[in-house]
Amino acid sequence: MDLRYFINSCAEANELKRITTEVDWNLEISHVSKLAEEKKGPALLFESVKGYDTPVFTGAFATTKRLAIMLGLPHDLTLCQSAQQWMKKTITSEGLIKAKEVKDGPVLENVLTGNKVDLNMFPVPKFFPLDGGRYIGTMVSVVLRDPETGEVNLGTYRMQMLDDKRCGVQILPGKRGERIMKKYAKMGKKMPAAAIIGCDPLIFMAGTLMHKGASDYDITGTVRGQQSEFLMAPLTGLPVPAGAEIVLEGEIDPNAFLPEGPFAEYTGYYSDELHKQIPKPVLEVQQILHRNNPILWATGQGRPVTDVHMLLAFTRTATLWSELEQMRIPGIQSVCVPPESAGRFWAVVSVKQAYAGHSRQIADAVIASNTGSYGIKGVITVDEDIMADDLQRVFWALSCRYDPMRGTELIKRGRSTVLDPALDPRSDKLTTSRILMDACIPYEWKEKPVEARFDEAMLAKVKSRWGEYGID
């Protein structure tokens, strides 16, 4: 699969709208996209961008249906159900389907070097009025190679177009990309890098699965059930998808940062002080590869829910669920890191209780997991009759089963993220407090509340006759 296959799949499922009206890259594309996402509308392909021939694609994952399309799953699955399928497929997979290197591919249809390298050739959007400039987006995979181990890393970063040949890259402290960059700094060398813009959307999820000895391309092919194809980018020798839309090849000087930002983050706020630019690593673009008639995949952020939040919610739900399964804690029915929590800050787990303290054990396990230990502010546990992504019923449980004194535990200190706008701006501590909220009916209660339930026979009859009632 490549981006074009995904776009065509969305069209076949009535999940794509082609916009033929002329639009401006300056704020208009982003504002149309954001409004469409908030209405749970279709993905958008802007075919007439003012001053450009290149179309812009937005809203890739903004609905659970498009998320399922991307994963090759039945389109009616919920976020929890899709994540469960992903979890089962990845943790029970017996063998990796190794990716195949090819010598040629559509991404090599155009190779631009020297004076032909000009980022202005693409309709890079400006998303919000206070952004520091035009952003290629946040769904950009930057390929790096560890100079000591030879291992390849595909990190997803935002990239700001600084001028016609340079992009600011937000490589955050502590992440693997920064650790690799520091190795090049110690060697006194620039770091080769290749930025992928537009490819199989599954590649962005592959990096969340830590399969030892496997590349992101191996993981993508394993989930797809067929080999992924990559080729070695001609300038940097880094592996890039053969069917990518655009690849920017060049180098990052680990000792030469330039001001970048601000940018409206996935939290709905600016992480950097307003109007303040922060020095960030810079990709010096030396060569551009692109397909004939390339499609620019653009992703903004802002307040939830956008396609980025759906992607974050899915990947964190799937990885958290996988980690809990590997802990072998019994009774877990479903797991969700809701997109409404910016796909990061809250987790909900549904549990079939088997002993006193069972739900608290699961909440503790969430915080102890790799996924839950970073950024999570709250964990809510609910009984087995509530799906973790059914927020309507989660709030019902918080209202009618949860007692704040009995069901609340506070943790004073946990790892947070630099992008959390709730952190004290006067402090450099990247820690947050956490709350565990047990919204389960206590297992040990002898007398439990009696719930108003349907008559099962009548419910089955009504469902069988639903079409006769004429209710849409």
Side-chain angles (χ1 to χ4, degrees):
M1 180 188 281
D2 57 16
L3 182 62
R4 299 184 186 200
Y5 182 89
F6 175 69
I7 290 173
N8 290 335
S9 298
C10 288
E12 291 171 2
N14 294 318
E15 285 284 316
L16 179 77
K17 173 65 176 177
R18 299 178 185 273
I19 307 293
T20 57
T21 302
E22 185 178 80
V23 294
D24 200 320
W25 58 263
N26 188 6
L27 301 179
E28 189 172 8
I29 286 177
S30 64
H31 285 49
V32 173
S33 300
K34 181 65 175 148
L35 290 175
E37 287 172 341
E38 289 184 349
K39 295 177 183 293
K40 302 294 184 184
L44 304 177
L45 186 64
F46 296 93
E47 297 182 326
S48 180
V49 182
K50 186 177 180 180
Y52 292 91
D53 295 326
T54 299
V56 175
F57 177 60
T58 67
F61 317 116
T63 65
T64 54
K65 184 175 181 179
R66 293 202 289 281
L67 204 57
I69 291 171
M70 185 267 293
L71 294 164
L73 296 173
H75 298 176
D76 60 345
L77 295 188
T78 66
L79 177 66
C80 267
Q81 291 168 334
S82 291
Q84 185 179 37
Q85 291 299 313
W86 169 279
M87 180 266 295
K88 288 180 177 179
K89 185 178 292 189
T90 54
I91 69 173
T92 60
S93 177
E94 295 183 358
L96 286 166
I97 299 177
K98 300 290 287 184
K100 178 174 67 174
E101 181 182 351
V102 296
K103 299 303 180 184
D104 198 8
V107 73
L108 295 180
E109 289 170 345
N110 300 273
V111 180
L112 308 179
T113 59
N115 293 332
K116 292 183 178 180
V117 173
D118 184 1
L119 297 176
N120 290 298
M121 68 185 293
F122 302 117
V124 176
K126 182 175 181 180
F127 290 95
F128 289 92
L130 298 179
D131 286 357
R134 301 170 68 176
Y135 280 84
I136 293 175
T138 53
M139 302 304 292
V140 179
S141 278
V142 178
V143 188
L144 308 172
R145 190 186 301 277
D146 189 310
E148 296 177 356
T149 66
E151 293 179 347
V152 171
N153 180 60
L154 272 71
T156 303
Y157 306 108
R158 82 183 193 203
M159 286 181 51
Q160 180 184 353
M161 192 173 79
L162 301 177
D163 55 36
D164 61 345
K165 290 181 173 59
R166 295 183 298 179
C167 293
V169 185
Q170 189 185 45
I171 300 177
L172 293 175
K175 296 292 188 177
R176 189 178 176 194
E178 190 206 35
R179 298 197 297 271
I180 293 174
M181 186 169 63
K182 284 182 175 179
K183 293 181 181 182
Y184 282 95
K186 189 175 181 180
M187 297 166 59
K189 293 182 178 181
K190 291 184 177 182
M191 178 171 65
I196 304 164
I197 305 164
C199 59
D200 183 344
L202 196 55
I203 287 175
F204 295 108
M205 294 185 179
T208 66
L209 299 172
M210 305 299 180
H211 284 262
K212 189 172 182 179
S215 73
D216 290 1
Y217 301 121
D218 296 338
I219 297 167
T220 299
T222 301
V223 174
R224 286 263 177 256
Q226 60 184 40
Q227 279 185 305
S228 293
E229 293 186 348
F230 68 91
L231 54 82
M232 294 302 182
L235 180 67
T236 58
L238 293 167
V240 299
E245 294 293 324
I246 302 166
V247 172
L248 310 179
E249 288 192 88
E251 295 178 317
I252 295 175
D253 187 337
N255 297 307
F257 291 11
L258 286 177
E260 186 265 1
F263 180 68
E265 292 288 354
Y266 67 89
T267 59
Y269 291 87
Y270 286 85
S271 58
D272 306 324
E273 185 181 335
L274 200 57
H275 301 307
K276 183 177 179 181
Q277 294 184 312
I278 307 297
K280 300 280 175 64
V282 176
L283 173 62
E284 303 164 1
V285 182
Q286 299 164 340
Q287 184 161 278
I288 297 175
L289 317 175
H290 72 82
R291 299 178 66 152
N292 292 334
N293 305 310
I295 299 170
L296 182 71
W297 183 4
T299 51
Q301 297 194 7
R303 68 172 184 257
V305 173
T306 68
D307 62 337
V308 171
H309 300 106
M310 291 296 297
L311 182 64
L312 293 175
F314 176 84
T315 55
R316 294 197 175 109
T317 294
T319 54
L320 176 58
W321 202 339
S322 297
E323 289 169 6
L324 294 175
E325 282 288 318
Q326 289 162 352
M327 292 181 191
R328 304 198 183 284
I329 303 172
I332 294 174
Q333 304 299 296
S334 58
V335 178
C336 185
V337 179
E340 292 83 359
S341 74
R344 176 183 291 282
F345 296 107
W346 282 82
V348 184
V349 183
S350 172
V351 53
K352 183 177 183 179
Q353 297 183 83
Y355 42 84
H358 192 174
S359 54
R360 174 60 193 269
Q361 177 193 8
I362 287 174
D364 288 338
V366 170
I367 296 301
S369 68
N370 284 328
T371 302
S373 66
Y374 181 60
I376 289 285
K377 296 181 182 182
V379 180
I380 301 171
T381 49
V382 294
D383 284 304
E384 62 183 292
D385 60 323
I386 298 175
M387 284 286 288
D389 60 353
D390 189 345
L391 295 188
Q392 179 173 309
R393 283 185 167 77
V394 169
F395 270 90
W396 172 55
L398 285 171
S399 302
C400 300
R401 300 181 182 179
Y402 166 69
D403 176 81
M405 184 62 74
R406 180 189 68 233
T408 305
E409 294 288 346
L410 291 174
I411 300 171
K412 292 183 178 179
R413 180 180 169 86
R415 186 185 178 201
S416 187
T417 165
V418 68
L419 300 180
D420 182 2
L423 295 179
D424 186 345
R426 299 165 296 181
S427 172
D428 59 358
K429 294 181 180 178
L430 296 180
T431 58
T432 182
S433 58
R434 290 174 171 150
I435 186 170
L436 309 182
M437 304 174 72
D438 189 348
C440 296
I441 298 171
Y443 176 81
E444 61 273 20
W445 279 8
K446 301 300 183 184
E447 295 183 17
K448 298 181 181 181
V450 179
E451 182 184 336
R453 296 180 180 272
F454 284 115
D455 179 88
E456 292 299 325
M458 180 55 69
L459 183 62
K461 177 180 178 181
V462 166
K463 286 183 177 179
S464 69
R465 297 190 59 195
W466 193 256
E468 299 177 36
Y469 303 138
I471 303 172
D472 186 4

